Amino acid sequence: VQLQASGGGLVQPGGSLRLSCAASGSRVSFDAMGWYRQAPGKQRELVAAIISSGTTNYADSVKGRFTISRDNAKNTVYLQMSNLKAEDTAVYYCNAYDYSMRRGVRTDYWGQGTQVTVSS
């Protein structure tokens, strides 16, 4: 499984960016896909996720500003980020996972990080 993330960069406060994560390899569909981020000196945190049914989940800090979506035909998940703030600066990681209820095991897959820097 390969998760290829792209779209990071430098943006001014109040600006927008769109991150993309394309899945390829032996698996391209998962129980859920999403984005995590890790700022310097902080733990990795969930930003947004979308499960196979289409239900979405967001961190409180990004609600109303970020939108996660997916294109099943392209095996790609997007994170549209608007009204970016300095505190959104972090390395953003694409994540996909499957959960086996029978075994009670979650299997995670990670893409490489993409840097998002919000600065004037």
Side-chain angles (χ1 to χ4, degrees), residues 4 28 59 66 71 78-79 82-83 86 100-101:
Q4 182 67 44
V28 294
F66 291 10
D71 184 334
Y78 304 97
L79 184 68
S82 302
N83 191 20
S100 170
M101 294 186 65

Side-chain angles (χ1 to χ4, degrees), residues 44-83:
R44 190 174 295 189
E45 63 175 358
L46 174 68
V47 177
I50 182 166
I51 64 174
S52 56
S53 66
T55 301
T56 57
N57 181 38
Y58 296 93
D60 287 343
S61 60
V62 306
K63 284 181 180 177
R65 300 188 298 121
F66 291 10
T67 301
I68 189 169
S69 62
R70 67 185 183 192
D71 184 334
N72 290 333
K74 296 182 178 179
N75 304 319
T76 300
V77 171
Y78 304 97
L79 184 68
Q80 178 67 46
M81 305 184 292
S82 302
N83 191 20

Side-chain angles (χ1 to χ4, degrees), residues 1-3 22-30 75 98 107 109:
V1 174
Q2 291 84 42
L3 301 176
S24 63
S26 59
R27 298 281 313 283
V28 294
S29 62
F30 307 90
N75 304 319
D98 288 319
T107 303
Y109 305 92

